[in-house]
Amino acid sequence: MRPSATPDAVQPLRALWRRYDAYRARFVGAVVASTVNKVADVVPELLIGAAVDVVVRGDASFVGEVLGVESRYAQLGWLAVINAFVWIVESLSEYLAAVLWRGLAQGVEHDLRVEAYDHVQHLDLGWHESRPSGSTIATLNDDVNQLERFLDVGAPAILQTVLNVLLVGAVFAVASTQLLVLAFLPIPLIVIGSLVFQRRLEPLYDRVRVAVSDLSSTLSANISGIATIKAFTAEDRERERVSAVSQAYREANTDAIRSSAAFVPLVRMAILAGFTCTLLLGGWATLRGDLQVGLYSVLVFMTQRLLWPLTEVAEVLDLYQRGRASAARILGLLAVPVTVPAGSTALERPVAGRVELRGVRAGYADGPDVLHGIDLVVPAGETHAIVGSTGSGKSSLLRLVLRFDDPREGHVLFDGQDVRDLDWDSLRGSLGYVAQDVFMFAGSIADNIAYGRPGATLDEVRAAAEGAAALDFIDAMPAGLDTWVGERGVTLSGGQRQRLALARALLRDPAVLVLDEATSAVDNETEAAIQRSLRRATAQRTAIVVAHRLSTVRHAHRIWVLDAGRVVEAGTHDELLAHDGSYAALWRVQTGATADAPVAAAADVAPGPVG
């Protein structure tokens, strides 16, 4: 079960703390290690003051009184031993803190990226189609990386700064109340300035995140469409477009950097005031005999130790704002609701494969209805075709069967059960799908065929390839089934990709085979071979075929004709031709028959690959 995905709009980093409680022990360990490290880091300044005190006061020094050692040489020797021990502790604690903080950052980065990716996988297809893929990739990659950098660098820096102020403040409080007040006087100014700059930086870094998302989307889209860019000699135009988007990202970053960088000079002025007070007032007190020389040395060093790290506040604020903006975007992505959730009911085995649509009305997002009152029944074991002109609703109907979308009204039934009640293994595990736009993964041909059934044997993969009329071209390749397929299958022709996708679907041995223009990219000879294979493959299973080429579905048990999202005709090929309606008109267009020619004659002379 996923953790609650409701983001904290005010404090996204606090929301992450609540979300990943498994890392709290590591966080506490990192804080403890950093605290020990900071204490050990401050002690050498105290030892310097003690050494000066030994040199100046001799037997009456603080070290001599505490250790009971009279010799100055022995006192300095003891200070050297203590210093060596402190440096060892500091080095070990620094190593431990670095390991813990970086482990924490890497762990949260990994878990958050995987969780966000898994959530994105479960979001409905319409959500993905409504936004650029580059925007999602930017969130999963760049935003997660920004958050990791804050946890690795920014959070430890904030802790170290706070500890530094507390420890040095304690030393000043023991030494001189007056110098404590004067040395700490710049800190409220720095804090107030930090808050002012934080409010100014917040919208600036929101702009940076939007700009990097736009840039990622543009680059992703252009790389995917590189063939079209080349075909239309649009390289220069696209370079200018990428340049404009990149310039917007650059300007957004420049504005943010300019604002954060302006903070450093103000901090330096505050440091100058505090350091000057310690130098002068502490020096005068020492000259008057009110302050020991060694303690004065400690306070001078401590003033710099106190205030100088505050120059990094701007950088820490920069990391904080970037991390906060990124966390908000990631949590916003995780908060997107899954509108097509899995059901909990399993289909009874064996799955028969009966598909039925009852009074289905459907559309996309907030748009108008695409399907209007569809009633359709596909009995188990039969092959049914969905045909119609472009935009008639064929692919929309398939999306409901595959449950990429849910109907606005009505029911889609699989073996008599509403698909909304079925778990994914029962529903999609019983379906074999071949899309019109075939997607191939980077890997071997065998890997791509076995994608839906990873445990398949090599013989089963070959049998599926043969069933899809793909074995001949596979065996003709130098490496056969081990031939590497480039990203998105760019090394294959469209027809080859479609045959591999068909083999992938057949290997799954589904109860229902769903084909969306599955032979649109093959030649007539290959189409005829695939049709013969499909007749064998669908002999014992249900098949739903969307086709533009009517010759590929003329032997279907029933053909459903859609027009403007409604079923206007249904019947066999011969029945629909005899009816001389929409189907007959489409047939005449594809066969070249004249409007007044008898459709039966057209059917006799029409070329058909399936004999």
Side-chain angles (χ1 to χ4, degrees):
M1 180 181 295
R2 293 186 181 85
S4 172
T6 303
D8 188 326
V10 178
Q11 289 293 343
L13 295 175
R14 184 186 301 166
L16 284 178
W17 167 259
R18 293 196 298 265
R19 191 180 193 86
Y20 291 105
D21 54 357
Y23 289 96
R24 290 180 184 176
R26 181 183 286 268
F27 175 79
V28 171
V31 170
V32 170
S34 292
T35 302
V36 172
N37 176 254
K38 178 50 64 176
V39 171
D41 186 45
V42 169
V43 169
E45 273 79 2
L46 298 176
L47 295 179
I48 291 174
V52 172
D53 191 50
V54 168
V55 172
V56 173
R57 299 175 61 196
D59 296 344
S61 69
F62 175 78
V63 175
E65 293 178 353
V66 171
L67 297 179
V69 178
E70 296 183 0
S71 170
R72 296 185 182 185
Y73 294 97
Q75 292 177 25
L76 292 175
W78 274 106
L79 289 177
V81 171
I82 296 172
N83 184 63
F85 174 76
V86 169
W87 275 78
I88 292 172
V89 171
E90 181 182 7
S91 300
L92 291 176
S93 60
E94 183 175 7
Y95 168 78
L96 184 59
V99 169
L100 289 173
W101 281 114
R102 291 174 184 175
L104 172 68
Q106 293 295 323
V108 172
E109 176 189 36
H110 168 76
D111 288 356
L112 193 57
R113 178 177 285 119
V114 172
E115 182 187 355
Y117 170 75
D118 185 54
H119 181 70
V120 165
Q121 285 190 128
H122 288 83
L123 294 176
D124 61 280
L125 203 59
W127 181 87
H128 288 277
E129 294 168 344
S130 67
R131 61 182 271 150
S133 61
S135 177
T136 305
I137 292 172
T139 300
L140 294 176
N141 190 39
D142 191 63
D143 280 318
V144 174
N145 288 342
Q146 288 287 356
L147 181 60
E148 181 269 338
R149 186 162 179 256
F150 168 73
L151 294 176
D152 186 10
V153 179
I158 292 173
L159 176 63
Q160 292 278 347
T161 300
V162 172
L163 290 172
N164 189 71
V165 171
L166 294 176
L167 292 172
V168 174
V171 174
F172 268 87
V174 171
S176 170
T177 303
Q178 181 185 25
L179 290 180
L180 170 67
V181 173
L182 293 175
F184 274 67
L185 191 60
I187 293 181
L189 300 176
I190 295 173
V191 172
I192 294 172
S194 299
L195 295 175
V196 171
F197 272 83
Q198 178 181 333
R199 285 195 294 269
R200 176 175 174 80
L201 288 172
E202 184 175 345
L204 295 178
Y205 279 113
D206 285 340
R207 279 183 54 206
V208 171
R209 303 312 315 141
V210 172
V212 75
S213 176
D214 292 342
L215 178 59
S216 180
S217 298
T218 302
L219 291 173
S220 177
N222 281 24
I223 295 300
S224 298
I226 193 67
T228 303
I229 292 173
K230 287 179 174 294
F232 287 89
T233 59
E235 291 90 342
D236 291 343
R237 188 165 68 250
E238 291 303 325
R239 184 189 65 241
E240 292 302 318
R241 192 156 72 95
V242 169
S243 176
V245 179
S246 181
Q247 179 65 21
Y249 174 53
R250 176 185 178 184
E251 291 174 356
N253 255 319
T254 300
D255 290 343
I257 292 170
R258 185 182 296 116
S259 294
S260 63
F263 186 54
V264 176
L266 297 178
V267 175
R268 286 178 178 273
M269 294 301 101
I271 290 173
L272 175 62
F275 189 78
T276 301
C277 288
T278 304
L279 186 67
L280 290 177
L281 297 180
W284 293 338
T286 303
L287 292 175
R288 291 195 305 269
D290 297 333
L291 192 66
Q292 297 295 332
V293 175
L295 193 53
Y296 173 60
S297 302
V298 170
L299 295 181
V300 170
F301 279 113
M302 284 295 184
T303 303
Q304 185 170 356
R305 165 75 67 178
L306 170 69
L307 299 176
W308 190 253
L310 297 177
T311 59
E312 299 178 358
V313 168
E315 182 180 352
V316 172
L317 275 178
D318 183 279
L319 291 173
Y320 171 77
Q321 288 297 347
R322 288 177 184 267
R324 184 181 180 283
S326 293
R329 286 170 60 86
I330 297 165
L331 293 173
L333 176 61
L334 287 168
V336 176
V338 176
T339 57
V340 185
S344 57
T345 305
L347 281 172
E348 294 184 6
R349 303 291 176 176
V351 178
R354 174 186 171 88
V355 178
E356 183 177 357
L357 280 72
R358 293 181 184 172
V360 166
R361 181 173 66 85
Y364 298 102
D366 297 327
D369 288 349
V370 176
L371 299 176
H372 310 270
I374 299 293
D375 290 300
L376 183 151
V377 178
V378 183
E382 291 190 3
T383 297
H384 283 217
I386 314 294
V387 302
S389 58
T390 301
S392 60
K394 303 186 297 295
S395 295
S396 299
L397 191 149
L398 283 194
R399 288 165 67 104
L400 297 178
V401 173
L402 294 162
R403 210 180 166 224
F404 292 155
D405 298 312
D406 281 334
R408 294 172 175 172
E409 187 178 290
H411 302 276
V412 179
L413 306 177
F414 196 143
D415 280 1
Q417 297 190 41
D418 195 307
V419 295
R420 283 173 286 207
D421 298 330
L422 299 176
D423 60 50
W424 293 131
D425 287 338
S426 289
L427 177 61
R428 291 178 183 162
S430 302
L431 298 170
Y433 176 51
V434 181
Q436 183 177 1
D437 182 17
V438 175
F439 187 89
M440 291 285 127
F441 296 91
S444 69
I445 288 178
D447 291 338
N448 273 278
I449 294 177
Y451 184 76
R453 190 178 161 197
T457 66
L458 188 60
D459 289 340
E460 289 171 332
V461 171
R462 287 186 64 84
E466 184 177 10
L471 199 55
D472 288 343
F473 88 79
I474 293 174
D475 287 339
M477 292 183 169
L481 285 168
D482 293 327
T483 300
W484 187 262
V485 176
E487 187 176 355
R488 301 185 66 87
V490 294
T491 60
L492 302 172
S493 69
Q496 289 173 333
R497 288 198 297 271
Q498 281 194 319
R499 280 178 277 175
L500 292 183
L502 180 57
R504 182 162 61 194
L506 294 177
L507 180 62
R508 206 171 190 186
D509 192 24
V512 178
L513 190 60
V514 180
L515 309 174
D516 188 3
E517 301 282 6
T519 59
S520 61
V522 299
D523 55 40
N524 288 336
E525 182 179 353
T526 302
E527 182 183 30
I530 291 177
Q531 290 296 329
R532 288 192 294 270
S533 299
L534 282 176
R535 281 205 298 275
R536 294 194 299 270
T538 58
Q540 302 298 324
R541 62 165 55 92
T542 307
I544 301 175
V545 184
V546 164
H548 177 72
R549 236 187 292 183
L550 301 183
S551 59
T552 63
V553 298
R554 58 186 298 181
H555 292 291
H557 292 92
R558 192 169 186 82
I559 299 172
W560 302 84
V561 184
L562 295 185
D563 184 24
R566 291 180 170 83
V567 176
V568 294
E569 290 181 316
T572 65
H573 173 78
D574 292 336
E575 290 171 349
L576 292 174
L577 288 183
H579 186 262
D580 198 19
S582 299
Y583 181 85
L586 290 172
W587 181 262
R588 279 193 292 264
V589 170
Q590 292 192 15
T591 59
T594 59
D596 55 355
V599 290
D604 292 337
V605 300
V610 292

